Amino acid sequence: MVLRKARATISVNKGPRWELLVSATAVEALVGSLAYESASVLFANAFGVLIDETLMEIEAATTAQIFGAPYLYQLVLRAPISLLT
C-alpha cells in the first residue's frame, strides 16, 4: 500500500484528498472473504478507509490492469472537514 497526498484542488467545505494505492491481490482476497461480487461493489458499500484512527471517505476507486487483469486499485480518499483546522 502507498498513501500519498492527492494533487491540490480547492474545494469549499471539503477536507484534503489523499490517494491510496492497494495491490489487487489484497483487494481480491478481501472481496472473496467478504463474499462481494467485485471490488467496485466492495468500495461502493464501504463506509471508508480507516487510517491512523481517522475514517477517510472513498471518493473514487479505479483499477489499473495489465493483460486484462487488475494489478492495482487507486482509491481517492477525502479526510473529514474537522481535520482542516
Side-chain angles (χ1 to χ4, degrees), residues 25-80:
T25 304
V27 172
E28 295 303 324
L30 189 58
V31 166
S33 69
L34 296 176
Y36 280 101
E37 297 172 19
S38 66
S40 60
V41 174
L42 170 71
F43 298 137
N45 287 312
F47 285 110
V49 176
L50 190 62
I51 298 175
D52 291 334
E53 299 181 17
T54 301
L55 185 62
M56 310 277 264
E57 174 189 358
I58 300 173
E59 194 171 87
T62 57
T63 182
Q65 295 187 358
I66 190 165
F67 301 117
Y71 72 93
L72 179 78
Y73 287 91
Q74 177 187 18
L75 303 178
V76 177
L77 307 175
R78 177 126 359 229

Side-chain angles (χ1 to χ4, degrees), residues 3-9 16-19 74-77:
L3 180 66
R4 62 184 181 189
K5 191 150 187 129
R7 291 189 181 121
T9 56
R17 290 173 47 181
W18 294 83
E19 291 179 333
Q74 177 187 18
L75 303 178
V76 177
L77 307 175

